[in-house]
Amino acid sequence: MYSDEYDSANSNQLQVSLLSFEEIKKGKIESALKRVRASEEKTEGIYRGWMLKPNQYKQLYDGLLSKNIELTNNPIQYKFCHYLPESYDLIKEYTPKTTFKSLKGEFNISEFENEINAFGNKPIVIKDYVKSQKHYWKEACYIPDASNTEQVNSVISKFIELQDVDFNEGLVFREFIKLEELTNHSASGMPLTKEFRVFVRNNKVMATYKYWDEGDYQDVEPVLERFENVMSKIDSKFFTMDIAKKKDGEWIIVELGDGQVAGLPDNANKDEFYKKLRRNAGV
Ligand SMILES: Nc1ncnc2c1ncn2[C@@H]1O[C@H](COP(=O)(O)OP(=O)(O)O)[C@@H](O)[C@H]1O
Ligand SMILES: [Mg+2]
């Protein structure tokens, strides 16, 4: 999945090493990093790969540090953009109303009454602290009426079942907002909206991409001015801000993510991305 990025990084004279994601997941950090050459001088590093849980990221961070490579975001910075509840207070003004609570053991709706009742009978979407099951939109993401216990139970149960061992921490409930529609996803049928992924490096916008590779965005271009202030307050050297246009014309933040684990859409020019990364890294 990352071989194109590997080639682009290489051809832009960035030093690249491969690590084993599978070994990180198993907690075997030494073995995961056995192909990573230690640096003689302290050097900044960027991980590009699948999402890691905060404790796995910390192991990676510490493992690389012992090889003199300091990942661009420390574990606290990583978690800040990775877990929606961490950044919610900061981005509140720009993002749909959200409630959340950690989930230990089996799901029992009575323990989440406050979080769900906050939305009355409005439609909501659900996710865990990191991800949704958006491609199972009707079954496991969208709840048309938050006061309908049967609907709530069914969608949340399906969501938890699909997340399985990848479930992150707790449940997040968000007011459903009418966004400008694009098309329905050709594989899953999920309703796609005019969403953009903005990469921010060292507090500057580095690249902006159409989030979806299908559908016609027509002349919609992202308007970033509104977010400049909040962007500058986010304590992360490399993050993404996904934004979308509401039907009434206003722009909102859909979610933040750590830039190291945020996917590039197919429409992104990978060579350009690594060129920009190299430039912004001050190499
Ligand atoms: N509050 C919301 N109102 C309307 N649509 C939403 C809302 N939150 C998410 N969506 C839609 O659901 C998709 C998935 O939500 P997102 O929070 O980005 O989860 P994931 O982390 O799985 O990408 C978004 O791309 C957007 O199209
Ligand atoms: Mg998303």
Side-chain angles (χ1 to χ4, degrees):
M1 289 295 290
Y2 284 89
S3 68
D4 282 353
E5 290 199 34
Y6 180 89
D7 291 342
S8 298
N10 248 333
S11 58
N12 281 292
Q13 288 86 46
L14 288 158
Q15 268 194 46
V16 192
S17 291
L18 284 176
L19 49 80
S20 167
F21 177 75
E22 290 72 16
E23 294 290 281
I24 298 179
K25 295 283 265 191
K26 285 187 212 149
K28 297 185 180 168
I29 201 67
E30 235 173 81
S31 142
L33 301 182
K34 70 180 177 210
R35 288 161 181 242
V36 180
R37 266 168 297 138
S39 171
E40 268 172 37
E41 285 165 34
K42 189 101 165 265
T43 310
E44 185 179 21
I46 290 177
Y47 163 68
R48 282 293 295 163
W50 302 113
M51 287 180 176
L52 294 168
K53 297 212 160 152
N55 65 329
Q56 295 164 339
Y57 184 82
K58 186 175 185 321
Q59 288 189 326
L60 173 65
Y61 182 86
D62 291 341
L64 288 173
L65 207 52
S66 70
K67 295 186 184 240
N68 249 347
I69 299 165
E70 185 174 18
L71 282 180
T72 189
N73 284 329
N74 68 34
I76 291 167
Q77 292 169 318
Y78 176 81
K79 193 173 168 193
F80 188 77
C81 290
H82 191 56
Y83 276 1
L84 179 52
E86 295 278 316
S87 64
Y88 180 61
D89 256 356
L90 189 66
I91 64 172
K92 202 150 61 194
E93 259 179 71
Y94 307 90
T95 203
K97 174 179 165 176
T98 303
T99 61
F100 47 84
K101 189 177 179 185
S102 71
L103 173 67
K104 309 254 184 290
E106 294 278 297
F107 169 70
N108 183 342
I109 194 167
S110 65
E111 289 165 26
F112 289 85
E113 264 168 6
N114 289 342
E115 287 69 28
I116 298 168
N117 289 346
F119 299 97
N121 60 1
K122 286 194 186 140
I124 56 171
V125 293
I126 59 149
K127 58 190 295 186
D128 65 22
Y129 281 14
V130 180
K131 290 299 288 179
S132 71
Q133 282 286 348
K134 59 190 173 216
H135 290 295
Y136 293 85
W137 185 251
K138 287 201 178 121
E139 302 87 342
C141 189
Y142 176 67
I143 299 173
D145 174 355
S147 68
N148 182 328
T149 311
E150 213 175 299
Q151 264 175 27
V152 170
N153 262 322
S154 148
V155 172
I156 294 180
S157 310
K158 187 69 188 171
F159 171 71
I160 292 169
E161 179 195 322
L162 289 168
Q163 287 300 73
D164 198 17
V165 292
D166 290 324
F167 185 84
N168 294 287
E169 285 298 315
L171 290 168
V172 169
F173 308 89
R174 316 195 77 191
E175 180 177 353
F176 175 78
I177 304 288
K178 288 197 176 113
L179 301 171
E180 270 203 23
E181 286 153 14
L182 192 56
T183 181
N184 286 337
H185 193 271
S186 54
S188 69
M190 171 207 171
L192 306 187
T193 58
K194 289 178 182 162
E195 195 174 336
F196 291 82
R197 170 155 288 181
V198 185
F199 279 86
V200 183
R201 175 76 177 138
N202 295 328
N203 288 110
K204 288 189 201 75
V205 172
M206 184 183 105
T208 303
Y209 303 109
K210 292 187 175 100
Y211 187 83
W212 300 108
D213 290 302
E214 52 186 306
D216 183 1
Y217 277 68
Q218 290 171 327
D219 52 357
V220 175
E221 289 293 337
V223 180
L224 299 177
E225 283 82 53
R226 173 171 154 72
F227 303 112
E228 272 164 15
N229 185 35
V230 69
M231 264 179 200
S232 69
K233 291 191 184 139
I234 293 169
D235 181 18
S236 165
K237 289 197 192 142
F238 190 34
F239 66 94
T240 52
M241 181 180 277
D242 293 342
I243 59 171
K245 192 176 182 194
K246 290 197 332 192
K247 280 200 169 152
D248 69 10
E250 196 183 53
W251 287 83
I252 59 159
I253 298 176
V254 176
E255 60 171 341
L256 302 181
D258 188 277
Q260 301 173 105
V261 298
L264 284 177
D266 287 346
N267 69 66
N269 179 324
K270 300 190 172 67
D271 188 58
E272 284 292 312
F273 179 80
Y274 278 89
K275 250 191 196 70
K276 288 175 172 176
L277 207 48
R278 187 190 157 101
R279 222 180 296 136
N280 280 290
V283 178

